[in-house]
Amino acid sequence: MTVTGSSGQDVAGTTGTGTGGTVCPTGTIGTAGPTGTTSTTGTTGTTAAGPPVLYGREAELAAVSQLLSPAQGPLGAERVVCVAGGPGEGRSVLLARAARDFPGAAYVVGAPGRQVPWSGARALLAALAPSGAAGSRAARLARGPEGIAAALASLLPEGGRVLLCLDDFPLWDAHSRAAFTAHWRAPGRRGPVRADWLVASAPGRPLPVAAGAPLVRLPRLTRAGARALLEAVSGGRSCPAVAERLLDEAAGHPGVLAETVLRLPSGVLDGTVAPRGRLVDDGVLARVYAGLLGALPADGRRLLRVVAAACAPAEATGPAPGAPYRTEAGTALARARALRVPTEALDGLVAAGLLDRRGDTLVFPDPFLGRAAGAATGEDRGDRSPAGRPADRPATPPASPAPSASSVSSAPSAPHERHRADRLGPPPVVRARSGAARGRALLTRGFAALASGPVMDAHEAFTQAAKVLRDREPAEAADARFLAMEAAWAAGDVGACLAALDLAPAVRGTERAFAEGLRAALTVRPDQARTPLSRVVAVGSVRDEPRLLLRAGSAALVLGDVTAAARLHGRALVRARAEQRASLLPRILEHLAYAELRAGRYARAGHAAGEGLRAARATGQLNSAAHQHAVLALVASVTGDGPSVAEHAERALAIGRPHGLAQAVTLAEWALARAELGGGLAAQAAARLAPLVRPGPHGGHFALRMLAVPCFVEAAVASGRAAEARAATEEYALWAGCGLDRPAPAQLARCRALLAPRGEETGRWFGEALRRHEDGGNDFERARTLFAYGTWLRRRRRPGEARGPLRDALVTFERAAAEGWARQARAELRATGAAGGRPAEPSALAGLTPQQQRIARLVADGATNQEIAARLSLSPRTVDHHLRGVYARLQIRSRVELSALMAGAEAEARA
């Protein structure tokens, strides 16, 4: 249900103290006590105690009163009414007036300034509680199984009616939003406590309330309502001509009208000084819409500014009030790409109602929003003075009384007066913020970059936030440092990780232990890392907070305890789902998929990564989606699904490379190499893996480099790069000795077997590898060792001994759906004279590389390796390598079988 006012009474006005309903992301709308007296505070001013004044809002106020009347809804059921109003349209004032007029007790609570878990719920419960102890007890009940219902029942008397008004609800913390949403959506909520809810939000911010909840929209003011507001704000001092011009330019927007009046010099307002340019300048709009623009994700805000700049009108005075603010979509998007602004945010801006897409045209439904967004681009819009300010804006903010006309007219005389402030430093509104506000703004910027931007940008924002908040909010500063470490970890920057973990001495407990353990692990001091990280795992195992479980799971992964890591991340997933913390799900599923990969459980890893990819897309977290794509590519490289490997790896690299996601890029490249190795293309796999296992800033991710070494050694030995394989193995031996990876000792023995110069030594190392695999807990890696061992035995002309290891490897590969590896195992098994599975079909020739097809065709014509080498300008050794790849891919073992297969393919082609 949508309720709107009549055409005669459209919009609520303001109380005349600032912009009225201007969105304040970090503001606090205090509480209205049971007596109905309302006190509202925020970033735009303070209204004295008393009845809030409304202009032109009678219809909307009557609609709210009617929807909350006892005659509406089932007896005893809670009612939820939504209010949607744009920046400066009086949304907060309407809530305050509804609270004053409510016949019972009424409370108004806005988004708390400190956005921490459960801060919103605690603010509301503290307003209801008679004492601090009662509020704390209610907060604990809110986190329990009965949720908000139990908390309210502990604070409110039975049988009474109470109105709870929640302003800027989408800006509340995620925990509180999830708890209240679950309460509202509970079917047939009834009980001894009758709580009615009035929930408000700006357009473009969804309200996840009960289905079918009525919605009261706040349109713009009529001429009569706007004139009444103008008279109240100006004190009747505006001359008729200026008043009519103000009403025209404000176009019924109460916040814009009030802010313009407050910023105009008194001489302009009373008509003694002729105004220059627009009365409603870009500075007014930027102030009114600052909250809405600041709450957008960074990419969305940047794209909105680019579209606004493309909409710039040709005339100097801008569009007439209500005129469409539009541009060609192709022009705006081309401009965005030229400025390296991601265009993926366009769909979100359209879905939020901030832009309309009409065919090939982009339109701002609210032209004021377009002008406000464009004001931040710094581009010349044709209406700026020589000093770089809008021509109609005073050099200084208006005081009370307003500056004289002479002071205004002399403003442009100093063209360099504010050069540094305007062009090189932050604007005055940013400099005027408190340190805590600046720190939290940096945190918001860091979160946006960590989710969908360059991760080192996120690292820098979090690092600066930690510095700003260090002395003011130590706990938030510590969180910012951990977030900076997470961003640096994703980028593969060890130095940045260590710098971020340099916490202040005041940090104690598991946070200190986690930081100390990670520092020891990053500096390769495993003995010093085990004790603090084990403590983190132990403490986190008995907690139910998803954040602590995630941290404990990360510590377990660093220790190499993949079983504990999977268990802890599984518990974190359950808790996050129960608390409806959608934004945390991609990160948890990312860590869970990685833990399953480390354990060799590829089917589980694929399931977790697939779910994580859906969650990342739903929440707009592109960087997490890149990591999920990389994991899915690695899983597909095991199953032998070549097209899936290529598709997922390409998507991971498309996001990971420009965003600096070294971890996702390394996983994707590793997946491509494993697919090539599984398909018999050892030379390509070795070439792809060589940079990943190389130390230094241009190598692979530091946490994955050693894990990829066994795969590189196998490919390098098969392609004649034994020297590089031997150097990598010696470094891997040092890593395996740290004890941070259970399968490492077995894989090290396999590498030494592949590099052993003598047969007896090779057999001994293979035996050592199989013995150590019994404790390694990774069946897939054990199957690869069995396959390598069986292949070595067959080539030593010991086919009877080779069949056992090859059969065991084949069964394990088939159980893991590793078709590429199973295909090679069947070919080797058939080469021993045993039944190795189904023979190759002629269509399998299409899977060969062009070089392999040329060599296969010459072999079928009867050419020897020497003749083929001379014909193709290759060495005989290279020809032999390609021929072995052909045999492995086609599951054959001789030239005779290859000739028969080629003849069959030619017969099919002729048919």
Side-chain angles (χ1 to χ4, degrees):
M1 172 181 176
T2 301
V3 181
T4 57
S6 65
S7 59
Q9 299 177 1
D10 293 336
V11 181
T14 70
T15 60
T17 57
T19 61
T22 300
V23 178
C24 306
T26 59
T28 301
I29 312 297
T31 63
T35 62
T37 300
T38 306
S39 172
T40 58
T41 62
T43 62
T44 59
T46 303
T47 65
V53 181
L54 290 172
Y55 296 91
R57 277 292 184 223
E58 291 82 1
E60 287 73 25
L61 190 60
V64 170
S65 300
Q66 180 182 2
L67 291 168
L68 295 175
S69 67
Q72 297 292 324
L75 183 62
E78 295 184 4
R79 289 186 292 266
V80 182
V81 178
C82 302
V83 176
E89 292 180 349
R91 182 184 68 252
S92 301
V93 182
L94 181 66
L95 260 64
R97 179 64 181 271
R100 186 186 76 88
D101 296 344
F102 192 72
Y107 301 82
V108 182
V109 178
R114 185 181 181 189
Q115 291 293 316
V116 297
W118 296 100
S119 57
R122 284 200 299 266
L124 174 61
L125 298 175
L128 299 176
S131 65
S136 299
R137 181 169 60 253
R140 288 194 298 271
L141 291 173
R143 296 193 292 267
E146 295 299 323
I148 297 298
L152 294 179
S154 70
L155 296 176
L156 299 176
E158 296 185 8
R161 294 183 65 215
V162 63
L163 176 63
L164 303 176
C165 303
L166 310 184
D167 197 9
D168 276 331
F169 182 72
L171 298 180
W172 289 36
D173 64 282
H175 296 73
S176 299
R177 293 201 312 269
F180 285 115
T181 302
H183 176 74
W184 294 327
R185 290 179 175 175
R189 173 69 68 188
R190 298 170 185 265
V193 178
R194 176 68 180 276
D196 294 328
W197 302 83
L198 192 57
V199 188
S201 169
R205 296 172 183 158
L207 286 170
V209 298
L215 174 64
V216 178
R217 296 187 183 275
L218 306 184
R220 296 289 173 82
L221 283 172
T222 61
R223 192 79 170 186
R227 183 172 283 108
L229 173 62
L230 175 60
E231 289 295 320
V233 176
S234 66
R237 294 182 296 109
S238 60
C239 76
V242 174
E244 293 303 315
R245 183 171 171 182
L246 277 172
L247 295 176
D248 289 339
E249 291 192 24
H253 194 300
V256 170
L257 181 59
E259 180 69 15
T260 303
V261 171
L262 291 175
R263 291 169 63 92
L264 278 179
S266 59
V268 174
L269 189 61
D270 60 22
T272 59
V273 176
R276 294 179 301 167
R278 293 183 297 225
L279 298 178
V280 178
D281 63 23
D282 290 348
V284 169
L285 299 179
R287 180 174 173 83
V288 174
Y289 285 84
L292 177 61
L293 293 172
L296 290 175
D299 287 347
R301 185 166 59 250
R302 293 172 63 198
L303 182 60
L304 198 68
R305 290 173 178 171
V306 171
V307 176
C311 291
E315 59 272 23
T317 59
Y325 211 70
R326 67 179 67 208
T327 184
E328 294 295 325
T331 301
L333 295 179
R335 187 171 187 169
R337 295 187 188 98
L339 296 173
R340 297 184 179 180
V341 175
T343 59
E344 293 82 0
L346 178 62
D347 292 339
L349 295 174
V350 173
L354 304 181
L355 285 175
D356 280 348
R357 188 159 192 172
R358 303 171 186 173
D360 295 330
T361 305
L362 291 175
V363 182
F364 278 92
D366 182 359
F368 284 149
L369 174 61
R371 285 178 55 193
T377 62
E379 296 186 13
D380 186 4
R381 297 283 299 277
D383 57 352
R384 297 191 179 271
S385 68
R389 297 184 301 272
D392 56 344
R393 182 187 300 178
T396 58
S400 180
S404 64
S406 60
S407 67
V408 176
S409 61
S410 63
S413 62
H416 301 291
E417 176 186 358
R418 296 174 59 196
H419 176 81
R420 289 185 61 82
D422 287 346
R423 300 179 183 273
L424 300 182
V429 66
V430 175
R431 295 198 303 271
R433 290 178 184 170
S434 67
R438 291 198 306 273
R440 288 165 188 148
L442 287 166
L443 281 175
T444 301
R445 187 185 307 166
F447 278 120
L450 186 62
S452 302
V455 287
M456 288 311 290
D457 289 359
H459 172 269
E460 181 63 24
F462 288 135
T463 301
Q464 293 301 322
K467 292 179 180 178
V468 173
L469 296 170
R470 179 177 53 195
D471 298 327
R472 300 173 177 89
E473 298 290 344
E476 292 185 44
D479 286 341
R481 284 196 174 275
F482 281 121
L483 289 165
M485 184 278 298
E486 182 180 342
W489 187 288
D493 192 331
V494 177
C497 286
L498 292 172
L501 291 171
D502 186 14
L503 301 178
V507 179
R508 295 285 184 256
T510 56
E511 288 187 345
R512 169 61 60 182
F514 187 61
E516 291 178 350
L518 280 185
R519 285 182 65 85
L522 289 169
T523 52
V524 198
R525 293 177 289 135
D527 293 338
Q528 299 179 36
R530 285 191 184 90
T531 299
L533 291 180
S534 298
R535 180 187 171 198
V536 175
V537 174
V539 173
S541 298
V542 298
R543 302 290 184 88
D544 285 331
E545 166 60 37
R547 183 176 62 90
L548 298 179
L549 288 168
L550 187 59
R551 182 173 295 173
S554 299
L557 276 174
V558 174
L559 291 173
D561 190 351
V562 293
T563 302
R567 182 182 70 252
L568 289 166
H569 288 128
R571 282 182 55 198
L573 183 62
V574 171
R575 294 302 306 170
R577 284 171 174 163
E579 297 176 7
Q580 300 184 24
R581 298 173 66 174
S583 61
L584 196 55
L585 290 179
R587 183 181 172 197
I588 295 174
L589 287 162
E590 175 184 320
H591 285 238
L592 178 58
Y594 184 62
E596 298 291 2
L597 275 182
R598 291 278 301 273
R601 296 188 287 263
Y602 293 97
R604 293 185 185 182
H607 177 78
E611 186 178 354
L613 180 59
R614 292 188 292 272
R617 287 171 173 169
T619 54
Q621 299 184 43
L622 292 181
N623 290 344
S624 182
H627 195 98
Q628 312 288 4
H629 276 301
V631 172
L632 289 170
L634 205 59
V635 171
S637 72
V638 173
T639 61
D641 188 352
S644 293
V645 175
E647 178 184 0
H648 287 298
E650 180 181 358
R651 293 187 178 183
L653 295 172
I655 301 172
R657 282 173 174 157
H659 288 186
L661 302 174
Q663 190 170 11
V665 169
T666 300
L667 282 173
E669 293 283 3
W670 189 7
L672 291 169
R674 287 180 67 164
E676 291 164 348
L677 185 58
L681 306 176
Q684 293 185 24
R688 190 182 297 277
L689 286 169
L692 302 184
V693 301
R694 185 183 301 138
H698 302 295
H701 189 273
F702 62 83
L704 299 173
R705 192 169 64 87
M706 286 294 101
L707 300 179
V709 165
C711 193
F712 168 71
V713 170
E714 185 175 349
V717 170
S719 56
R721 303 172 67 165
E724 296 175 68
R726 190 168 288 106
T729 299
E730 294 309 315
E731 187 179 4
Y732 187 71
L734 299 176
W735 157 255
C738 294
L740 299 180
D741 187 33
R742 286 182 60 192
Q747 295 185 74
L748 174 62
R750 184 177 72 205
C751 292
R752 294 203 182 282
L754 294 173
L755 290 166
R758 296 183 300 276
E760 297 77 8
E761 189 176 353
T762 301
R764 181 174 63 82
W765 279 117
F766 271 126
E768 177 69 10
L770 293 173
R771 184 181 67 80
R772 289 184 175 271
H773 270 304
E774 298 300 326
D775 300 325
N778 192 316
D779 290 341
F780 178 75
E781 292 299 333
R782 179 176 179 274
R784 289 183 63 182
T785 300
L786 286 167
F787 171 71
Y789 183 38
T791 301
W792 177 78
L793 287 173
R794 184 192 66 79
R795 291 176 181 173
R796 295 278 295 177
R797 302 184 184 277
R798 295 156 66 179
E801 298 178 51
R803 290 175 191 139
L806 290 173
R807 284 197 185 100
D808 290 346
L810 176 60
V811 169
T812 304
F813 287 146
E814 290 177 338
R815 187 184 299 123
E819 182 54 36
W821 297 95
R823 183 167 52 245
Q824 293 189 68
R826 290 191 198 99
E828 289 291 339
L829 193 58
R830 292 176 57 206
T832 66
R838 54 187 179 277
E841 297 292 334
S843 59
L845 291 168
L848 300 177
T849 66
Q851 186 75 301
Q852 288 176 332
Q853 290 180 0
R854 285 191 289 269
I855 292 174
R857 193 172 295 109
L858 291 172
V859 168
D861 291 339
T864 65
N865 285 5
Q866 293 285 351
E867 293 169 343
I868 296 172
R871 179 87 171 266
L872 300 179
S873 301
L874 301 172
S875 68
R877 185 173 181 177
T878 302
V879 172
D880 180 68
H881 165 70
H882 282 300
L883 196 54
R884 282 189 277 115
V886 170
Y887 289 166
R889 179 64 65 91
L890 301 179
Q891 305 177 38
I892 58 179
R893 53 182 175 173
S894 67
R895 291 172 177 262
V896 174
E897 291 182 72
L898 179 58
S899 299
L901 198 61
M902 294 291 293
E906 293 175 1
E908 285 187 2
R910 287 193 298 270

